[in-house]
Amino acid sequence: MNRLSEKGVFLEEITCSVCSPDGEQICRTFRLDYLRDNVIGKVYSGPVGNVIKRFQNPLASRCPGLFERYQEVGLC
C-alpha cells in the first residue's frame, strides 16, 4: 500500500476471506466488519483508511508518509 500510494494509487476498502481463528483475530484487530460466511470461512471488510488510522504510529516508522498521503486524498 505504501509503494502504491507513492505512485498515486489508493485502496478504499479491504475485503478478506478468512479460514482460521488467527485470520479472524487479525480481522478483528484491524476492526474489519464481519459480512457473512462463505464456503471456506468468513468474509470481513472495511475501509483501508480505518486500518491506517488505527496503526498510524507503528506505520509511521515503517511507511513514512502513508497516513498523510491517504489523508490528502480523503481516505483517512
Side-chain angles (χ1 to χ4, degrees), residues 25-33 44-47 50-51 54-55:
Q25 185 56 47
I26 290 169
C27 289
R28 284 192 212 107
T29 300
F30 286 172
R31 295 186 179 154
L32 299 177
D33 297 320
Y44 286 82
S45 185
N50 288 355
V51 176
R54 173 144 167 71
F55 295 99

Side-chain angles (χ1 to χ4, degrees), residues 61-75:
S61 61
R62 294 184 69 195
C63 305
L66 178 66
F67 176 78
E68 290 79 8
R69 286 188 293 276
Y70 266 79
Q71 195 172 37
E72 285 174 8
V73 297
L75 293 174

